[in-house]
Amino acid sequence: MIISSIYNNLELKNNIDYLDGAILMVPFFAINYENNLDIESAIEVLKKKNKLIILGIDKISREKEFVDIKSFIEKYKDDNEILFYSSDLGIINLCMDLNIISRLIYDPKTMITNTEDAKCYLDFNLNSLGISNEITLDIPKEFKLKSR
């Protein structure tokens, strides 16, 4: 499956035929400040093409931003076709409170480097977890075998 982070509508238009899905990086909640993606139109395009839709909230947020983040997530929480992607541990609690934890892909970037790290995060009942780029594929295989 090929999934790419998308930061603007032109990028989506130019790449949609090559992708199985997209992480739509949400303006104001994404690390890339040059982001000018129109989320509504991007979701519409992905739905028409039957592509996986993931809303990206990858910025580490300040306390006062959580009110806006919660409002944003609540807007899409009833659409079961939409997943969420985040690097902020606080989003886990928010998704648990909204009863959508199964639709969160949590990626703490370089914080998961072995199976013990992964077990800690999976205690949150996450279905998807990002792992460090620096580890070998033996660790994810080992974890998958242990989790069965």
Side-chain angles (χ1 to χ4, degrees):
M1 182 173 274
I2 299 173
I3 299 172
S4 178
S5 297
I6 300 292
Y7 294 92
N8 62 64
N9 292 73
L10 181 60
E11 187 177 35
L12 180 61
K13 180 183 175 192
N14 290 341
N15 294 294
I16 193 164
D17 292 331
Y18 309 107
L19 301 174
D20 298 303
I23 302 174
L24 303 175
M25 302 312 291
V26 179
F28 309 113
F29 304 135
I31 292 172
N32 185 329
Y33 296 104
E34 300 296 318
N35 183 349
N36 61 0
L37 181 65
D38 178 344
I39 294 293
E40 294 299 323
S41 66
I43 288 172
E44 187 178 316
V45 167
L46 289 168
K47 282 187 175 191
K48 283 182 184 174
K49 296 269 192 172
N50 293 317
K51 306 287 184 171
L52 182 63
I53 303 165
I54 305 166
L55 298 179
I57 304 167
D58 72 337
K59 182 176 91 172
I60 303 302
S61 304
R62 290 177 281 181
E63 191 69 32
K64 63 183 181 179
E65 294 173 308
F66 271 87
V67 172
D68 294 333
I69 293 170
K70 182 177 181 183
S71 294
F72 175 81
I73 291 174
E74 284 176 326
K75 181 177 178 180
Y76 298 99
K77 80 177 191 102
D78 294 327
D79 187 337
N80 291 323
E81 292 181 66
I82 295 177
L83 303 177
F84 301 91
Y85 170 91
S86 184
S87 302
D88 189 321
L89 190 59
I91 301 297
I92 290 177
N93 284 326
L94 189 57
C95 288
M96 287 171 38
D97 291 346
L98 296 172
N99 203 25
I100 57 167
I101 193 69
S102 64
R103 292 174 33 215
L104 176 65
I105 302 167
Y106 181 66
D107 184 2
K109 306 298 182 195
T110 61
M111 300 302 291
I112 296 179
T113 58
N114 57 57
T115 57
E116 294 304 314
D117 290 343
K119 282 186 220 174
C120 290
Y121 287 102
L122 289 173
D123 284 343
F124 290 112
N125 294 318
L126 296 162
N127 287 338
S128 302
L129 193 59
I131 58 173
S132 175
N133 294 337
E134 293 82 10
I135 66 173
T136 69
L137 289 178
D138 293 333
I139 290 174
K141 284 192 288 188
E142 178 185 338
F143 182 75
K144 187 169 183 159
L145 291 172
K146 284 183 178 180
S147 65
R148 288 187 176 165

